[in-house]
Amino acid sequence: MSSLSARVERATSLARRVRDKRIVWRGTALTNFTHEHPSPRLAADLFKGEWASRLPSPLQDTTGTVPLFEDERVSWAMERLGGVNGDSVLELGPLEAGHTYMLHRAGAESVLAVESNQRAFLRCLVVKELYGLDRARFQYGDFLEYLRRTDDHFDVCFASGVLYHLLDPVEFIDLISRRADRLFLWTHYFDPRGTSARFQQRGLESVPSSHGGFAHTLHRRKYGYSLRAAGFCGGSNKTSSWLTRDDLMDALTRFGWTDVEVGFESLDHSNGSSLALVARRARVGA
Ligand SMILES: C[S@@+](CC[C@H](N)C(=O)[O-])C[C@H]1O[C@@H](n2cnc3c(N)ncnc32)[C@H](O)[C@@H]1O
């Protein structure tokens, strides 16, 4: 073999091993080790600068600022839903397990939380370990795929901050309706009145749509530059679809949710109008 073709072959093999992550390209494998004494801080610092949430003691000063571990929307929801003590809970999009932590502390018998962002999933695992969330399980994957295939049934579904990140929010409402008896949902909704300039810039077209015989309009939005932010915690597509408040409420009714109670409604939220709600439904076949 000529020396040129040998060099090409060695370079190709090297590139392949880098691609397959079998060799470390920058530094050495030793960068993955620590010589420090084990501590919560050391574990949390694996994601230094990435935490959105303020973690509970002893990490409150070295993590993020958003109070998701003491979220008044979640306290409200648990109270309106009659508590979660002894309940099985399905949580969709846990981000950093702040709401999981609250559900666990409130006595949920089990929490299954499905998260599709790799680094958010890993942060959830750090939280689970640091705060002893032994009745919570985290799964890495797309909750839509989970919902489409599972037969599992839960007492409560927590769907906070996820509906407006989806391409087909009505399919999502249909899917969760098959899986739980009680619901907490927090979401933005489409309302051209109470919106900021930033909100207006992200709007695309409005498309008539139908799911399960329910006619509605999808107001498509793009994420734009926010997809460049390391802390992006939205959906997994470049766009998402928002519902109007009326379509949201009608979809809930259409898929069997009753006793809907709204709280925390804000028309002038900087990211678009938003509300929290709790609802109940009779179990199919019950
Ligand atoms: C805006 S955050 C909401 C976090 C938290 N639930 C809250 O209310 O503060 C949305 C979360 O849902 C996750 N997510 C979005 N789409 C998802 C999907 N299809 N499957 C699983 N997780 C998803 C994101 O990665 C992110 O962690």
Side-chain angles (χ1 to χ4, degrees), residues 167-184:
L167 294 174
D168 189 346
V170 175
E171 182 205 11
F172 176 77
I173 291 172
D174 180 8
L175 289 169
I176 57 176
S177 305
R178 299 162 191 259
R179 306 272 65 95
D181 304 331
R182 289 176 286 151
L183 171 67
F184 167 59

Side-chain angles (χ1 to χ4, degrees), residues 198 202 222-234 238:
R198 191 171 61 155
R202 299 227 174 120
K222 62 181 176 187
Y223 288 113
Y225 282 115
S226 60
L227 286 176
R228 298 258 170 198
F232 174 76
C233 60
K238 288 184 179 166

Side-chain angles (χ1 to χ4, degrees), residues 9 29 40 42 57 79 86 131 138 154 212 262 282 285:
E9 195 171 299
L42 193 61
S57 174
E79 192 258 313
Y131 297 98
F138 294 90
F154 299 84
V262 173

Side-chain angles (χ1 to χ4, degrees), residues 65-124:
T65 53
V66 188
L68 295 177
F69 285 71
E70 45 189 358
D71 190 330
E72 50 183 8
R73 297 169 302 175
V74 172
S75 306
W76 171 81
M78 290 192 296
E79 192 258 313
R80 301 313 297 158
L81 291 171
V84 295
N85 193 30
D87 284 343
S88 58
V89 183
L90 173 65
E91 186 187 1
L92 303 170
L95 181 61
E96 293 170 347
H99 294 175
T100 328
Y101 171 88
M102 293 183 74
L103 290 160
H104 195 269
R105 276 173 70 105
E109 183 183 277
S110 63
V111 184
L112 174 65
V114 184
E115 173 57 60
S116 63
N117 178 299
Q118 301 172 358
R119 298 190 71 79
F121 171 71
L122 293 172
R123 292 200 295 281
C124 288

